[in-house]
Amino acid sequence: MLSTDIGYIKKEFPKKIKTIGLTLFVVGTALGIIGFLVNPQRASLSYLVTFMFLVSIGIGSLFLVALEYAVGADWSTPFRRISEFLAGIIPFLIILVIPLLLNLKNIFPWTHKSIVDSSVLLRGKTAYLNVPFFIARTIGIFLIWWIFYYFLTRNSRKQDSTKDQYLTKKNIRISSGFIPVFGFSITAIAFDWMMSLEPNWFSTIYGVYYFAGTVLCALAALTLFVILLNEHGYLHSKINSEHYYTLGLLMFAFTVFWAYIAFSQYLLIWYADMPDETIWFMHRWVGPWKVVSLAIVFTHFVFPFFYLLSHSIKLQAKKLKFIAIWILCSHLLDLYWLVMPGMPSNGYQYYFSWTDLVFPIAGVGLLILIFKFLSEKYNLLPIGDPKLQRGLDFHL
Amino acid sequence: MNIDYTKELALVEGNPRLADIDEIITRPLTQPPTRKFYIALSVSVTALLIGAYSLWLTLYYGIGMWGNNVPVGWAFDITNFVFWIGIGHAGTLISAILFLLRQKWRTGIARFAEAMTIFAVMTAGIFPVIHTGRPWLAGYLIPYPNQHLLWPNFVSPLLWDVFAVSTYFTVSLMFWYMGLIPDFAILRDKSVDKIKKTIYSIFSLGWRNSNRHWRHYEKTYMIMAGLATPLVLSVHTIVSFDFAVSLIPGWHETIFPPYFVAGAIYSGFAMVMTVLIIVRKVFDMENIITLNHLERMAKVMLLTSSLVVYAYLMEFFIAWYSQIPAEQYDFWARVVGPYRWGWYFMVSCNFLIPQLIWFKKIRRSVVVLFVISICANIGMWFERFIIIVQSLSRDYLPSSWHMFTPTLVDFGVLTGSFGLFFTLVLLFAKTMPVISIVETKSVLEGAQPTVHGGSDHE
Amino acid sequence: MSENKNLNSIAALFDTPNKIITAARKVKESGYTKFDVNTPYPVHGMDKAMGLGQSKIGYVTLFFGFSGAIFIFLFMGWTMAINYPYIVGGKPLFPFQAFIPITFEVTILCGSIATVVGMLAVFFNLPFLSHPIHDSNYIKEVSNDKFGIVIEAQDPLFERERVIEFLKSLGAEKIEFIYEPEKEEFKILQPKFISFLVLVAALTSLGTFVTLNKLMYVVPFNWMDNQKKSNPQSETNFFYDGYAMRTPVVGTVAKGFMPYAYQGQAQPKVPLANPTLPTKQLLKMGQEKFLTFCSPCHGNYAQGVSRLMGQFPPGPTLHSAKIIGYSDGMIYNIITNGQNAMPSYAYQIPREQRWAIIDYVRVLQRAQNPNPSDFQAIKELKKESGKNAVN
C-alpha cells in the first residue's frame, strides 16, 4: 500500500522471520512441556518468570500507547503501531496463565491449608489470599486489559483508512481512563503473582517497582524493534537518529527511575532493620544470590546509566540496539531475582534448572510470531494519524 | 468543538510582535504600583509581621510556646516544612522537567514558577532551623572542623535534609538567575533612570546577547535542567526518608518517596495555579499565560492527585495485608479516630475535588480552577498533618498516646510563612519580569528561521 | 562620538531570523574570524552557520560532579569510621547505604555550581560591564527585536570600506560604528573615592563594635550566658530567707549511703560489729588518726593526760575497766554521737577511720594491760630477731 502524502511503503517480512519465530516457540514449548512433566514444581516457577516478562512487555507497551495519546506527544506517533503490536500478547495472557493456574499449589505457600492454619499472619490474610478470589482477580484483570487493548488498537487501525480525527479524540479519552486502571491492575498482578510468593513480606512500593521495570522493558523492546525494522526499511526514511535519541533518553530516564524505586525500597528496609521486612533481602543475600543481587545493581543500573549518559551513543542505532537487548535481559534477571528466592519458603532449596532457559526462548518466539501476524494484517505506521507528519518532522 | 490534531496549540495568543513582548512583560516594572498592589502587599506584610512576632516568642521563650509534646514531638513545624518544600517542587518541575520534555508551553509560566520555588524553599528552610529550640547552634549541622571535634551524624535523614534543601536552594537560585541574566540585559538597555540602569547592569553582568555566549548558555541551561530534575525528585524523597526510615506505624512505608514527590508536585502546581490566575488578571497577561496553560496544569494536578490516591490505597491495603495490629490501627484511626476531620479534608481535597478536572468545562473555567487549586493546598497541608500528628499521637504503646493541640503561636508561625511567601512573590512581580522575555520571544510564530543554517544538536 | 576615537567594530542590523542566518553563514564563508552575532534570543542553526562546534561545558559538569561525589563519600566515611568512630542506631561504622543520599546531593551541587560559575567566569568572561558594545544603539535594538552581526576591527581581513559594502550586500537595515570607550583616568585622591573609603571604614568599625560589644550580649548570641536559673551564692526572692542555695530536706540520705542507726542515741541497743581486720596498715592509719583527733584530749597513749593543760576538760583514760569492757560498737557510737564534753566526730572522721582508731585503741589498751602470755610471745619474737642478723 503506497501512501503518497506520508511516504510509507508497506513491505513484506521475509519468510525466515516466521521460521525463526515458529522454531523458537515450538522448541521452547516442547521442552517446557517436558519440564512440566519431569518436575512441575520447578517448571512452574520458571514459567512464572517468563510469564511476568511477557506481561511486562505486553501491558507496558499498551501503557506507552495510552501515554502518548494522553499527553499528546507527537514524536513517537510514527512508531506507535510497533507498541500496539507488542501489546498484541495481551489477548493471549488469559491462555498463557492457564498452566500457572493449574499449578498454584506448586507455587504459592498460602494455597496449602496446613501452612495457612499454622500461621496467624496467613490466617488473617485469607480474605485476599484465597484461590477463588485470586483466580477471579487475575482473569478479571486480563479481561479488562484485553478490552482496553481491543478498543485502543481498533480505533488506531480504523484511522488508517478513514483518517477520522474523532478517533484520536476517542482514544485520548480511552487512554485517560486506562492509565488509572492500569496503575491499580498492574499493582494487583505484581502483588498476587510475585509478592505473595513470600506471603509474610510486604512492601507498599512493590507495584511501583514492577511498573518501573515494565515500562523500561517496554521501551527497550520498542527501541529494539523500531531500530531493527527501520534499518531494514520497513518503517520510514524520516525516522532517524533524532527519534532514536529520544528513545535512548527515555530508556535512560526509566533506568534512573527504576534504580530510584529499587533503592528506596532497599534503603528504608535496611535502615529500620525490622526482621519481618529484612528477611526478603536476606533471602537474596545467601550464597549465589549475593552475586545475582550485585549483578542486578550493575546490569540494571550502573552499566545502562553510564552507557546512556553519553550524547553520541544515544544517536547511534547499533549501540542503542545493544543496550536495548541488554536492558531486556537485565529485566528478565530482575524478575528471576524477584521470584526464585521465594523457593526456600516454599520448602524447596534453590537450584538452577534448565527449565529456566527454556521458557524465555518460547516467549521470544511467541512475540515474534504475534508481531509478524499483526504486521501482515496492519500497517507498521499509523498512516491516518493527524500527528504523524509532525512526528516524522520531529527534530531535537 | 472541532479540534485539529495536525497543528500544535498556539503558545502565545494574539500574535504579538517581538517588540510587543518587551513592552507587555516589562510594563508592571515601569508603572507605579497600583492600589490593588498596595492592598495585597499590606495583607501579606501583616501576615508576615504576625509570623515575625510568633517567631520571636518561640525563640525567646522556647518551643513550649507551641503545642508540641511527647509523643507528638513534630506537629505544625514539620507539617509546614514539608508543605512549603512541596510547593517549591512545582517550580523546578515546570522549568526543568517540562524543558527536558520539550514542552514549549512552559515558557509563559516557567520564570514565575522558579521564583516561587525559591521563595517557597526560603520559607520552608526556616522551620527545620527553629524547631530545634536552639537555632543558633544550627551551624554545627554543616560538617566543618570545630572545637568540639564533632561531626554531624551523616546517617541521620535529618542531616540528609540539610544537604538536600541547601543544594535545592542553591541550584534553583542559580538556575533562576541564569534565566534572568538576558532579561536583566533587556531591562538595562531599556531603562533610562540612572539607578535602575546601574542595578540592572550589575545583575546582567554585561550580557551582550552574543551567539558565542548563547550556545554555552543553552547547553548550560539544558545541563542545569538535567541536574535539577533528579534533584527535585531527590529532595522530597529525602524529606520522606525523615519519616520512612523510622519504626512508627504509618510512617515506615516503602512507598513514601514517590508518594511524597507526587504530593509535592500536586500542591506545587496548585499554588502556581493560584498565584498565576491572580497575576494574569492583575497584570493583563492573559495572552501569554493562556487558558491552555491553566488547562495543562490542571491535567498535571489530576495526574498527581491520582498518584497520591494510589499511594493512599496502597498504604491502607498493605496495612491490612501486613496483619500488624499497630499498622492496622493507625490507618483505621485516621478514618474514625480523633483527627478524622483532618482526614476527611484530606480525602475530599486531594481525591474528590480534583476529579472535577476530568470535565473539559471545568478545566477551562478560571474561577473553578482557582477554587480547586486552593482546596488542593488545603488538602495537602492536612495530609502532612495527618501523617505526622495522627501517627505520632497513636503509636505502639496506648499508655503513651496523647493529643496534640495547636497554640496561637503555632498558627501565628503558619500565617507568617504565608505572609513571607506572598510578600516575596509580590515584590518579585514588581521588580523583575515575571515571564522570561527571551524565551517567550523565541517561541513566537516566525521567531525561528526556516532556512537551515544546519541542524545543531544541543 | 568624536572621530579621533578608535574603531572597535562595525555592526549591522537585520530584521528577520532568516536574513541573519544567511548573513552569518556568508560572513563565515568569507573568511572572517573575529566576528560575532547578536540576537535577542538563541536562534536555531546559528551555531552551524557560524561554524561553531559543540559547547564543551558538559565536561566541566562531569568532572566536578564526580569529584564532589567521591570527595564527600570518602569524607563521610572518614569522619564516621576513622576520625570519630561512633555506633549510631546499630548501623556499621561505614554505612555506605546511608551515605548515598548526601553523595547524590553533593554531586549535583558541585556539578551545577562548577557549571554556572565556569560558564560565566571562564566561557563568557563575565562580569564585563565595559565592553565597547554597551550603550550603543546597536545593542539596544538587538535586545529588543533586531538581529545583528558585528565584525571587529582586529580581524585580519578587516578593511573599513570593504566591510561596509559587504554588510550592505547581505541585506543590512542599518550600519553602525562601535568605538572603543574613552580611557578614564582614575585619580586615587578624588573626593568620591575618599568618601567611599571613609564610609567603608566607618561601617566596618561600627559593625564590629556593635557585634562584639552589643550583639554578643543579646539573646541568642550571648550563648545562654544569662539564664533564668540561680547561680551558687546568689540571692532569690523565691525562698523566704532570700538564699538560692538550700540545704537538703531533713532526712535526706545520699544514694547508696546507709545512715547510722543510732544517730543521737547514747545507748545503742545492738552496737555495730567491727567490720575491719586489724592489719598492720590499718593500725598504722588508726594510730595516725588517733594522734590527730583523739590525743589532744585523751593523751598520746590514751591515758587521759591531755596536752590541753586544763584549757578544756580532759578526756578520761581509756584504760579503765569500764572502757576496756565497752564493745567496739559502743566506742563507735561514742565517737559518732559524742558524749558529755566530747563532741561528735562524725563529720571529721570517716567511718572506716573510726574503726581503725578503735582497733588502735584496743592495741593501746592491751599494751597497758598485757596478759602474761604476751610477755612470752615478746620473748620469742626477740629470740627470733636475735637469730636473724638481718632485722
Side-chain angles (χ1 to χ4, degrees):
Chain A
M1 279 171 268
L2 188 73
S3 189
T4 41
D5 40 342
I6 295 292
Y8 168 64
I9 303 169
K10 190 174 161 82
K11 272 166 69 171
E12 283 281 323
F13 282 154
K15 275 251 176 295
K16 66 173 181 176
I17 300 285
K18 186 165 181 185
T19 330
I20 295 175
L22 205 54
T23 321
L24 289 174
F25 179 62
V26 168
V27 167
T29 314
L31 288 173
I33 293 177
I34 296 176
F36 263 101
L37 292 172
V38 166
N39 186 347
Q41 296 97 331
R42 191 63 183 81
S44 333
L45 284 167
S46 313
Y47 186 82
L48 178 60
V49 175
T50 305
F51 180 73
M52 295 311 288
F53 183 72
L54 290 175
V55 167
S56 278
I57 293 192
I59 199 64
S61 302
L62 191 63
F63 172 72
L64 289 179
V65 171
L67 192 63
E68 182 199 299
Y69 274 117
V71 303
D74 53 36
W75 65 275
S76 55
T77 308
F79 34 81
R80 189 188 66 233
R81 199 47 72 65
I82 313 253
S83 280
E84 291 178 22
F85 290 169
L86 284 170
I89 199 158
I90 290 177
F92 291 87
L93 290 176
I94 290 192
I95 305 170
L96 288 171
V97 82
I98 291 176
L100 289 171
L101 292 178
L102 294 173
N103 276 297
L104 285 180
K105 275 206 159 16
N106 288 325
I107 306 175
F108 296 108
W110 51 265
T111 48
H112 298 257
K113 193 161 176 346
S114 54
I115 295 181
V116 170
D117 282 343
S118 61
S119 159
V120 169
L121 290 173
L122 289 181
R123 279 206 301 273
K125 300 186 203 201
T126 47
Y128 185 76
L129 290 182
N130 60 72
V131 173
F133 191 18
F134 183 88
I135 298 181
R137 279 199 300 274
T138 305
I139 303 286
I141 287 176
F142 289 161
L143 277 175
I144 293 176
W145 286 357
W146 191 351
I147 295 174
F148 275 105
Y149 164 77
Y150 175 73
F151 281 107
L152 273 174
T153 48
R154 187 194 71 163
N155 287 341
S156 165
R157 293 162 191 167
K158 225 201 293 185
Q159 205 175 43
D160 277 3
S161 36
T162 64
K163 295 207 188 337
D164 183 4
Q165 293 209 34
Y166 187 64
L167 287 167
T168 303
K169 188 166 178 171
K170 271 212 293 200
N171 263 1
I172 292 179
R173 288 216 177 111
I174 296 176
S175 302
S176 311
F178 171 67
I179 290 177
V181 171
F182 163 76
F184 287 104
S185 51
I186 200 175
T187 305
I189 292 291
F191 280 1
D192 286 354
W193 286 99
M194 294 199 291
M195 197 170 87
S196 69
L197 286 168
E198 294 176 70
N200 288 328
W201 184 78
F202 51 89
S203 164
T204 34
I205 208 176
Y206 199 83
V208 186
Y209 183 85
Y210 183 62
F211 162 77
T214 294
V215 177
L216 181 57
C217 177
L219 278 170
L222 177 65
T223 308
L224 181 63
F225 274 74
V226 165
I227 296 182
L228 270 176
L229 290 169
N230 206 27
E231 276 179 339
H232 290 96
Y234 288 96
L235 290 180
H236 195 285
S237 53
K238 275 186 127 186
I239 296 179
N240 55 18
S241 55
E242 316 233 342
H243 294 96
Y244 300 161
Y245 180 87
T246 315
L247 281 170
L249 196 62
L250 274 179
M251 282 199 290
F252 175 75
F254 272 91
T255 302
V256 174
F257 179 63
W258 174 91
Y260 161 68
I261 300 292
F263 180 68
S264 313
Q265 183 168 261
Y266 173 69
L267 180 73
L268 296 174
I269 291 181
W270 171 81
Y271 200 105
D273 215 6
M274 297 173 88
D276 51 354
E277 293 177 358
T278 55
I279 189 71
W280 191 84
F281 281 105
M282 298 308 287
H283 281 162
R284 285 152 182 80
W285 200 246
V286 287
W289 285 117
K290 203 184 265 194
V291 177
V292 179
S293 298
L294 291 171
I296 288 187
V297 173
F298 178 74
T299 59
H300 213 299
F301 172 58
V302 176
F303 182 74
F305 177 83
F306 286 103
Y307 195 84
L308 288 169
L309 193 61
S310 151
H311 179 90
S312 61
I313 283 186
K314 287 197 281 280
L315 292 165
Q316 298 174 49
K318 200 159 156 207
K319 300 237 158 75
L320 282 175
K321 267 193 299 188
F322 165 70
I323 198 66
I325 297 177
W326 178 283
I327 288 178
L328 285 167
C329 294
S330 70
H331 183 61
L332 193 60
L333 184 66
D334 185 27
L335 290 172
Y336 194 81
W337 178 82
L338 284 174
V339 170
M340 288 304 174
M343 276 175 65
S345 62
N346 205 6
Y348 311 109
Q349 286 303 311
Y350 170 74
Y351 56 92
F352 186 77
S353 161
W354 56 272
T355 52
D356 292 335
L357 296 169
V358 150
F359 294 109
I361 297 175
V364 170
L366 182 62
L367 271 173
I368 296 177
L369 284 175
I370 294 177
F371 196 91
K372 176 161 193 320
F373 171 71
L374 286 172
S375 57
E376 272 169 3
K377 281 184 79 175
Y378 307 106
N379 293 321
L380 275 168
L381 246 65
I383 49 180
D385 195 304
K387 295 185 293 179
L388 181 60
Q389 189 58 54
R390 282 214 313 275
L392 290 170
D393 288 337
F394 171 76
H395 64 91
L396 292 167
Chain B
M1 203 186 332
N2 263 337
I3 296 192
D4 185 5
Y5 290 107
T6 53
K7 291 210 182 34
E8 282 192 51
L9 287 172
L11 295 161
V12 181
E13 290 166 2
N15 235 337
R17 304 170 308 134
L18 280 174
D20 292 338
I21 301 285
D22 270 0
E23 208 272 309
I24 297 171
I25 298 179
T26 58
R27 202 187 307 132
L29 305 174
T30 47
Q31 288 171 339
T34 60
R35 213 170 83 123
K36 274 187 287 189
F37 178 78
Y38 278 123
I39 294 177
L41 192 64
S42 51
V43 170
S44 69
V45 169
T46 313
L48 177 60
L49 290 174
I50 293 176
Y53 177 60
S54 311
L55 205 59
W56 177 81
L57 286 174
T58 310
L59 290 176
Y60 193 78
Y61 290 108
I63 300 289
M65 297 303 285
W66 295 349
N68 295 27
N69 55 50
V70 175
V72 189
W74 282 353
F76 269 46
D77 44 358
I78 300 301
T79 307
N80 294 341
F81 168 64
V82 181
F83 177 71
W84 284 109
I85 288 277
I87 287 183
H89 282 24
T92 321
L93 195 131
I94 293 176
S95 46
I97 299 180
L98 291 181
F99 176 81
L100 291 177
L101 294 175
R102 310 223 171 80
Q103 301 292 302
K104 295 215 174 66
W105 56 274
R106 71 180 260 288
T107 0
I109 56 179
R111 167 72 50 73
F112 205 95
E114 279 164 35
M116 282 179 55
T117 294
I118 293 173
F119 302 145
V121 174
M122 282 164 68
T123 313
I126 296 176
F127 291 100
V129 173
I130 59 172
H131 93 303
T132 54
R134 286 192 292 174
W136 48 90
L137 298 180
Y140 287 116
L141 287 169
I142 311 291
Y144 72 95
N146 54 58
Q147 78 270 36
H148 305 291
L149 305 179
L150 278 179
W151 301 105
N153 177 16
F154 289 109
V155 178
S156 163
L158 306 183
L159 197 78
W160 304 342
D161 256 345
V162 170
F163 277 81
V165 173
S166 24
T167 304
Y168 188 42
F169 179 69
T170 311
V171 173
S172 299
L173 192 65
M174 284 194 300
F175 195 38
W176 180 68
Y177 178 62
M178 242 190 83
L180 273 170
I181 292 176
D183 282 7
F184 279 141
I186 295 177
L187 288 166
R188 165 200 70 203
D189 292 331
K190 274 180 104 64
S191 59
V192 181
D193 178 54
K194 199 139 200 284
I195 300 179
K196 274 199 185 156
K197 199 176 167 95
T198 315
I199 296 177
Y200 288 135
S201 300
I202 294 175
F203 282 110
S204 63
L205 303 179
W207 176 261
R208 18 182 226 276
N209 289 340
S210 145
N211 191 60
R212 289 177 193 272
H213 293 178
W214 278 125
R215 71 185 179 107
H216 292 301
Y217 181 89
E218 291 219 286
K219 187 89 200 266
T220 306
Y221 201 86
M222 169 151 290
I223 292 175
M224 291 294 280
L227 287 175
T229 304
L231 176 66
V232 72
L233 300 175
S234 72
V235 169
H236 224 64
T237 299
I238 291 178
V239 169
S240 80
F241 284 161
D242 285 346
F243 308 104
V245 301
S246 71
L247 304 172
I248 309 280
W251 278 15
H252 184 59
E253 312 280 344
T254 44
I255 204 171
F256 261 35
Y259 162 40
F260 267 54
V261 172
I265 298 171
Y266 176 63
S267 67
F269 267 75
M271 184 63 89
V272 171
M273 178 115 70
T274 310
V275 179
L276 278 182
I277 289 179
I278 300 176
V279 162
R280 73 195 281 270
K281 192 76 189 189
V282 169
F283 294 121
D284 291 319
M285 288 178 176
E286 272 127 337
N287 275 350
I288 305 186
I289 306 175
T290 63
L291 264 183
N292 290 332
H293 288 96
L294 297 180
E295 183 177 353
R296 281 179 164 124
M297 289 190 341
K299 283 186 188 170
V300 174
M301 276 177 63
L302 180 61
L303 171 70
T304 45
S305 136
S306 315
L307 295 175
V308 167
V309 171
Y310 171 87
Y312 290 163
L313 291 168
M314 278 312 113
E315 287 185 317
F316 266 89
F317 174 70
I318 295 286
W320 171 79
Y321 181 86
S322 69
Q323 296 290 310
I324 296 176
E327 285 280 347
Q328 294 177 325
Y329 174 72
D330 186 61
F331 283 96
W332 190 231
R334 291 187 184 190
V335 185
V336 304
Y339 290 110
R340 62 183 176 277
W341 46 271
W343 190 81
Y344 295 148
F345 258 112
M346 177 179 112
V347 170
S348 38
C349 293
N350 293 345
F351 172 52
L352 297 173
I353 292 184
Q355 300 304 310
L356 291 171
I357 300 178
W358 286 107
F359 302 103
K360 189 148 185 122
K361 265 222 202 102
I362 304 262
R363 287 203 296 272
R364 296 192 74 91
S365 152
V366 177
V367 175
V368 183
L369 284 179
F370 188 71
V371 173
I372 291 180
S373 61
I374 293 189
C375 287
N377 269 325
I378 295 177
M380 283 313 292
W381 191 91
F382 273 104
E383 178 194 289
R384 275 60 170 261
F385 179 78
I386 290 290
I387 291 176
I388 295 175
V389 174
Q390 160 67 46
S391 303
L392 281 177
S393 71
R394 297 271 181 280
D395 64 9
Y396 288 106
L397 209 54
S399 58
S400 306
W401 289 359
H402 200 290
M403 288 291 288
F404 161 78
T405 322
T407 61
L408 279 179
V409 180
D410 275 319
F411 283 111
V413 173
L414 174 61
T415 313
S417 66
F418 278 93
L420 176 65
F421 179 75
F422 282 105
T423 307
L424 290 170
V425 163
L426 285 169
L427 292 177
F428 161 74
K430 233 13 193 117
T431 53
M432 297 186 216
V434 300
I435 300 178
S436 168
I437 306 175
V438 159
E439 282 182 21
T440 311
K441 283 182 184 171
S442 72
V443 296
L444 285 179
E445 289 277 341
Q448 297 296 340
T450 48
V451 178
H452 259 288
S455 58
D456 53 316
H457 304 301
E458 273 127 332
Chain C
M1 321 264 180
S2 61
E3 299 302 319
N4 25 348
K5 285 220 252 174
N6 286 334
L7 187 66
N8 172 267
S9 45
I10 297 186
L13 284 170
F14 300 79
D15 58 353
T16 68
N18 280 343
K19 280 201 196 144
I20 190 76
I21 284 267
T22 17
R25 203 168 352 113
K26 293 221 179 84
V27 169
K28 168 90 177 88
E29 283 163 4
S30 305
Y32 290 99
T33 45
K34 286 195 174 351
F35 73 101
D36 203 358
V37 173
N38 300 74
T39 51
Y41 50 85
V43 175
H44 290 167
M46 184 58 76
D47 294 344
K48 187 121 187 242
M50 283 172 75
L52 300 171
Q54 279 265 12
S55 167
K56 299 229 170 6
I57 190 113
Y59 294 105
V60 174
T61 320
L62 207 62
F63 175 74
F64 281 94
F66 281 117
S67 316
I70 294 173
F71 167 72
I72 197 69
F73 189 78
L74 294 175
F75 174 73
M76 285 194 283
W78 175 77
T79 59
M80 300 213 71
I82 300 174
N83 186 254
Y84 199 132
Y86 191 78
I87 300 179
V88 181
K91 304 288 178 286
L93 283 178
F94 191 91
F96 71 90
Q97 299 96 329
F99 289 163
I100 289 180
I102 292 189
T103 309
F104 180 80
E105 298 297 329
V106 171
T107 311
I108 297 195
L109 184 69
C110 291
S112 36
I113 293 183
T115 308
V116 172
V117 171
M119 174 189 82
L120 289 175
V122 176
F123 286 72
F124 290 173
N125 217 3
L126 293 182
F128 180 30
L129 300 180
S130 52
H131 193 277
I133 213 171
H134 285 309
D135 277 340
S136 61
N137 269 335
Y138 171 70
I139 195 75
K140 292 201 171 99
E141 299 261 18
V142 158
S143 288
N144 198 354
D145 61 350
K146 297 274 183 285
F147 312 83
I149 294 189
V150 171
I151 300 184
E152 289 178 37
Q154 300 285 340
D155 191 294
L157 292 179
F158 185 85
E159 221 235 278
R160 196 186 152 108
E161 293 309 320
R162 187 154 57 117
V163 166
I164 297 176
E165 275 305 313
F166 177 56
L167 288 172
K168 284 216 179 97
S169 73
L170 293 173
E173 304 282 310
K174 230 193 293 184
I175 306 276
E176 191 178 328
F177 298 105
I178 311 275
Y179 292 97
E180 298 277 353
E182 262 180 44
K183 278 253 176 271
E184 274 182 51
E185 233 195 86
F186 182 73
K187 288 201 284 270
I188 206 152
L189 287 178
Q190 57 178 308
K192 246 194 196 170
F193 185 59
I194 301 277
S195 45
F196 169 71
L197 285 178
V198 168
L199 187 67
V200 168
L203 283 175
T204 314
S205 20
L206 184 69
T208 317
F209 173 80
V210 167
T211 308
L212 294 177
N213 294 306
K214 304 289 177 210
L215 196 62
M216 298 293 293
Y217 299 100
V218 168
V219 172
F221 301 104
N222 57 2
W223 293 73
M224 297 173 76
D225 274 348
N226 307 325
Q227 297 177 36
K228 280 202 162 86
K229 68 174 187 187
S230 298
N231 293 324
Q233 319 288 347
S234 63
E235 286 176 20
T236 174
N237 50 15
F238 184 77
F239 293 106
Y240 65 96
D241 56 3
Y243 289 112
M245 292 170 72
R246 317 303 298 167
T247 53
V249 172
V250 172
T252 303
V253 172
K255 198 168 158 184
F257 179 76
M258 200 59 186
Y260 182 54
Y262 305 108
Q263 191 71 36
Q265 294 176 34
Q267 294 290 333
K269 279 198 283 284
V270 181
L272 297 179
N274 188 343
T276 61
L277 281 173
T279 60
K280 195 168 184 174
Q281 204 178 6
L282 193 79
L283 288 174
K284 254 190 123 57
M285 195 233 295
Q287 178 187 45
E288 198 183 299
K289 299 303 170 189
F290 179 86
L291 289 175
T292 307
F293 293 105
C294 315
S295 67
C297 296
H298 290 283
N300 287 352
Y301 296 101
Q303 286 165 333
V305 182
S306 163
R307 59 177 180 268
L308 293 178
M309 308 287 198
Q311 292 168 60
F312 196 77
T317 172
L318 299 183
H319 303 294
S320 60
K322 183 172 93 167
I323 296 178
I324 291 179
Y326 278 165
S327 67
D328 285 355
M330 184 64 197
I331 302 181
Y332 184 90
N333 192 55
I334 295 172
I335 301 177
T336 308
N337 285 325
Q339 191 183 59
N340 305 328
M342 172 171 162
S344 155
Y345 277 84
Y347 289 117
Q348 289 141 298
I349 312 179
R351 290 175 170 182
E352 169 139 28
Q353 291 174 15
R354 286 177 232 167
W355 292 115
I357 292 174
I358 294 168
D359 289 336
Y360 180 67
V361 166
R362 293 300 185 204
V363 165
L364 287 177
Q365 288 174 339
R366 183 122 170 228
Q368 290 289 320
N369 298 302
N371 290 332
S373 53
D374 292 340
F375 290 110
Q376 195 65 25
I378 293 172
K379 244 198 230 159
E380 277 168 17
L381 268 173
K382 279 208 172 128
K383 245 199 238 162
E384 270 185 47
S385 62
K387 273 200 198 148
N388 303 331
V390 189
N391 214 14

